[in-house]
Amino acid sequence: MTEQVEGYICFYTDHIAEEFISIDEARYMALEQILAILQGGVLGYPRNLLGIIDEKGNSLQFFVQPDGEIELNLSVPEEFGSYTRQIEQLECYTLLKKASRYIEHMPVGQVEFSGWWLE
């Protein structure tokens, strides 16, 4: 059984509320605060995003595509890529509500690997 988490390092972009915390300025937020940002509708507008980083440095991001679809993205730098899938807004909230201490233990569902192409 995984430990429940109290919070994560968080970054997000909300073009409607004009609120931005870049990944370089990411800061620790309690899980309740992150869930409140989700409930505030951050994932309801194209090009908005919400990302979290656990204590191991693993990251999980939700990005709203230009067409309004939300992409879940689990970065895996050691594999030079990310695991991704389309996800519904309510599922993003539910996933974080049940969050575990380490992102790698979160039940993200069926994902596809997408390599980062280096030139």
Side-chain angles (χ1 to χ4, degrees):
M1 183 170 200
T2 59
E3 272 183 64
Q4 184 66 23
V5 70
E6 293 180 19
Y8 294 104
I9 301 296
C10 183
F11 57 96
Y12 66 95
T13 299
D14 186 339
H15 292 287
I16 296 297
E18 295 185 2
E19 295 178 0
F20 310 94
I21 298 176
S22 72
I23 193 165
D24 295 330
E25 299 168 338
R27 62 178 186 249
Y28 179 84
M29 290 185 189
L31 184 57
E32 291 303 319
Q33 188 177 5
I34 296 168
L35 293 172
I37 292 168
L38 277 175
Q39 286 180 311
V42 70
L43 297 181
Y45 189 76
R47 297 186 2 244
N48 281 359
L49 72 90
L50 175 90
I52 60 171
I53 304 169
D54 68 16
E55 64 188 63
K56 288 183 170 181
N58 298 316
S59 69
L60 170 66
Q61 297 178 52
F62 303 107
F63 177 74
V64 184
Q65 302 288 342
D67 65 2
E69 293 287 322
I70 300 170
E71 179 183 276
L72 174 148
N73 182 302
L74 285 164
S75 296
V76 189
E78 61 273 7
E79 295 180 29
F80 300 101
S82 298
Y83 289 94
T84 63
R85 78 174 179 95
Q86 299 300 309
I87 188 169
E88 297 294 323
Q89 192 170 15
L90 179 59
E91 190 178 358
C92 298
Y93 180 85
T94 303
L95 182 63
L96 286 181
K97 183 81 174 161
K98 298 177 187 176
S100 62
R101 184 172 180 183
Y102 302 115
I103 290 171
E104 64 199 32
H105 297 149
M106 293 173 72
V108 296
Q110 188 76 21
V111 291
E112 284 186 30
F113 184 78
S114 177
W116 302 333
W117 303 110
L118 304 175
E119 299 197 22

